[in-house]
């Protein structure tokens, strides 16, 4: 079989983003050598430094250019010298929206040998997938402010939920649940008792689409209860589908029960377009340049990317590499791994199984 070529856009971004992405690239190249993939990486310097230098976040021409790649590999966006919101909205959310990456896929997996803060929970108890809607809801930017700075100030931030947006997200979640083939249970996470407009649309759509998936058990829980069950009985979950804001919140909780941000990865997916893969932990500015940050989340994001490109064997190999190495780290936390960032990358490379 010939070598398969992949053109990947890389946005290392801010803080520790470049350090972890370098290790991810190292692992991807090594997996490529073993499994017949040639990656061609093109780097883009979008992020806080560029913004401070040029005043530019993400030019529109960049969106068009990025559409020419098979995937985007992103480090982190967020800079202590830039007012909150500018880079997040101007780069990260702009990419998600402009590339119509309507799913944010976030696995929550406790690997064997990793500590969870949940007493008595084992890897078989914590293995679920959150399907977060990624282009609508409170993130849509609808609303506005009146009489700003006066005692009569009014601020409105609306949650936008379209039938099309909700339905495609729910469908993706049912399909993912079927493909995982684990507990075959999909839980809708909402707030139908208070958000009676938005989550009525979600709930009706959920039950309608469910008719096409008689093999999948359906379940519903309010978001506050989900937070409770994720801590008390995470083994109840297989796939959870939810809106943008709730998905943002519950996946940070998910990251903690799986052992921390050092291992949490996600994919911003457009099934018919260009998807983007990232560690979900952020730029961690205080660890920048110290070679102490954990690159496993970035490596796991690379694994998701390879899987999404249809390279299932290579994805499985990277997963095996991560599982093998994670048990050797003293802790997943930055500075306490017992290894440097680059050493962890090397260890994963050396643990990749041969085909
Ligand atoms: C995430 C992040 C982003 C989000 C921020 C940085 C805009 O928290 O990817 O979860 O809220 O989606
Ligand atoms: Mn978040």
């Amino acid at each position: 079989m010939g070598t398969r070529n992949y053109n990947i856009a890389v946005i290392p971004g801010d803080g520790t983003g470049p350090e972890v992405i370098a290790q991810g690239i190292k692992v991807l190249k090594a997996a490529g050598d073993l499994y017949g993939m040639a990656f061609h990486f093109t780097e883009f310097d979008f992020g806080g430094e560029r913004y401070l230098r040029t005043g530019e976040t993400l030019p529109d021409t960049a969106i068009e250019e990025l559409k020419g790649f098979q995937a985007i590999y992103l480090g982190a966006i967020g800079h202590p010298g830039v007012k909150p919101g500018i880079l997040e909205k101007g780069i990260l959310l702009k990419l998600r929206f402009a590339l119509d990456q309507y799913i944010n896929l976030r696995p929550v997996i406790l690997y064997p040998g990793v500590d969870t803060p949940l007493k008595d929970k084992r890897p078989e108890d914590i293995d679920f997938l959150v399907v977060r809607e990624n282009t609508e809801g409170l993130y849509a930017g609808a609303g506005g402010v009146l009489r700003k700075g006066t005692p009569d100030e009014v601020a409105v931030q609306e949650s936008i939920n379209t039938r099309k947006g909700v339905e495609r997200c729910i469908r993706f979640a049912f399909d993912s649940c079927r493909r995982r083939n684990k507990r075959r249970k999909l839980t809708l996470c909402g707030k139908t008792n208070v958000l009676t407009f938005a989550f009525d649309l979600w709930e009706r759509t959920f039950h309608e689409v469910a008719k096409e998936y008689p093999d999948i058990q359906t379940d519903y829980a309010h978001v506050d209860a989900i937070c409770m069950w994720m801590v008390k009985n995470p083994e109840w979950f297989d796939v959870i589908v939810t809106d943008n804001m709730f998905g943002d919140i519950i996946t940070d909780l998910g990251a903690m029960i799986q052992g921390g941000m050092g291992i949490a990865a996600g994919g911003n997916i457009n099934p018919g377009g260009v998807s983007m893969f990232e560690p979900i932990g952020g730029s961690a500015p205080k660890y920048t340049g110290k070679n102490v940050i954990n690159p496993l989340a970035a490596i796991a994001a690379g694994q998701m990317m390879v899987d999404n490109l249809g390279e299932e064997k290579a994805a499985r190999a990277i997963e095996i590499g991560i599982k093998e190495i994670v048990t050797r780290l003293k802790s997943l936390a930055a500075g306490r791994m017992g290894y440097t960032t680059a050493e962890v990358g090397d260890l994963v490379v050396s643990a990749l199984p041969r085909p």
Side-chain angles (χ1 to χ4, degrees):
M1 204 164 47
T3 303
R4 282 134 3 246
N5 285 287
Y6 295 107
N7 292 317
I8 308 294
V10 181
I11 306 175
D14 299 319
T16 52
E19 291 166 63
V20 297
I21 285 297
Q23 300 314 309
I25 286 178
K26 192 192 268 178
V27 172
L28 287 168
K29 282 188 175 153
D33 291 345
L34 291 170
Y35 289 84
M37 307 173 291
F39 291 103
H40 309 281
F41 296 105
T42 306
E43 212 174 284
F44 294 85
D45 67 350
F46 308 122
E49 294 298 331
R50 177 182 168 129
Y51 172 73
L52 290 172
R53 210 169 56 238
T54 66
E56 192 168 57
T57 47
L58 188 70
D60 290 332
T61 51
I63 299 287
E64 285 315 307
E65 208 182 334
L66 290 168
K67 283 183 184 163
F69 290 87
Q70 277 146 297
I72 303 169
Y73 193 34
L74 173 76
I77 297 294
H79 192 293
V82 181
K83 197 172 139 228
I86 293 177
L87 302 173
E88 292 84 345
K89 288 175 100 170
I91 301 177
L92 185 59
L93 299 183
K94 188 168 173 186
L95 284 168
R96 289 175 182 172
F97 293 177
L99 297 172
D100 202 20
Q101 294 163 340
Y102 62 85
I103 299 295
N104 197 325
L105 200 57
R106 297 186 162 182
V108 178
I109 301 164
L110 178 64
Y111 287 116
V114 173
D115 282 338
T116 173
L118 303 186
K119 188 167 168 283
D120 298 334
K121 296 297 176 189
R122 296 147 305 161
E124 53 270 41
D125 301 318
I126 304 178
D127 179 1
F128 60 92
L129 182 67
V130 178
V131 176
R132 164 186 174 188
E133 201 291 321
N134 210 32
T135 52
E136 303 193 337
L138 280 167
Y139 280 67
V145 58
L146 290 174
R147 301 188 275 273
K148 189 166 178 162
T150 75
D152 298 319
E153 180 162 346
V154 182
V156 178
Q157 194 102 43
E158 290 159 313
S159 176
I160 303 297
N161 297 263
T162 68
R163 169 72 198 212
K164 179 184 149 195
V166 168
E167 184 170 334
R168 65 185 183 175
C169 177
I170 287 173
R171 251 176 221 292
F172 187 96
F174 273 106
D175 286 335
S176 305
C177 192
R178 199 175 252 176
R179 205 168 325 111
R180 266 168 72 84
N181 198 19
K182 290 195 170 157
R183 294 181 184 109
R184 296 180 87 83
K185 178 168 126 184
L186 179 62
T187 304
L188 172 64
C189 165
K191 191 74 189 175
T192 53
N193 53 348
V194 177
L195 306 181
T196 51
F197 310 133
F199 280 99
D200 178 56
L201 172 59
W202 275 85
E203 199 176 32
R204 272 183 290 116
T205 309
F206 185 65
H207 290 305
E208 270 173 49
V209 175
K211 293 192 187 115
E212 296 167 38
Y213 297 85
D215 51 316
I216 306 294
Q217 186 197 337
T218 56
D219 180 30
Y220 172 81
H222 297 318
V223 62
D224 47 350
I226 290 256
C227 289
M228 184 172 77
W229 302 129
M230 273 173 67
V231 172
K232 190 169 179 289
N233 297 99
E235 66 278 7
W236 287 355
F237 298 114
D238 178 14
V239 180
I240 299 175
V241 63
T242 192
D243 83 347
N244 209 339
M245 186 79 256
F246 292 165
D248 178 47
I249 297 168
I250 69 170
T251 53
D252 267 29
L253 177 54
M256 287 304 122
I257 68 171
Q258 76 179 116
M261 284 297 179
I263 190 79
N268 302 273
I269 313 285
N270 175 346
V274 185
S275 299
M276 176 167 77
F277 300 84
E278 53 173 338
I280 74 177
S283 59
K286 71 175 180 188
Y287 298 115
T288 303
K290 300 205 161 92
N291 203 18
V292 296
I293 192 87
N294 188 343
L296 286 176
I299 295 170
Q303 174 203 327
M304 289 182 81
M305 179 168 82
V306 161
D307 194 37
N308 195 260
L309 291 168
E311 297 281 355
E312 281 156 31
K313 288 199 184 105
R316 182 93 192 101
I318 299 174
E319 187 190 355
I320 290 170
I322 293 171
K323 275 192 173 162
E324 168 84 31
I325 294 317
V326 91
T327 60
R328 315 240 304 252
L329 305 188
K330 286 205 197 90
S331 156
L332 294 188
R336 284 186 269 139
M337 298 190 290
Y339 295 95
T340 66
T341 305
E343 282 169 347
V344 174
D346 292 336
L347 285 169
V348 175
V349 166
S350 66
L352 292 176
R354 273 147 216 293

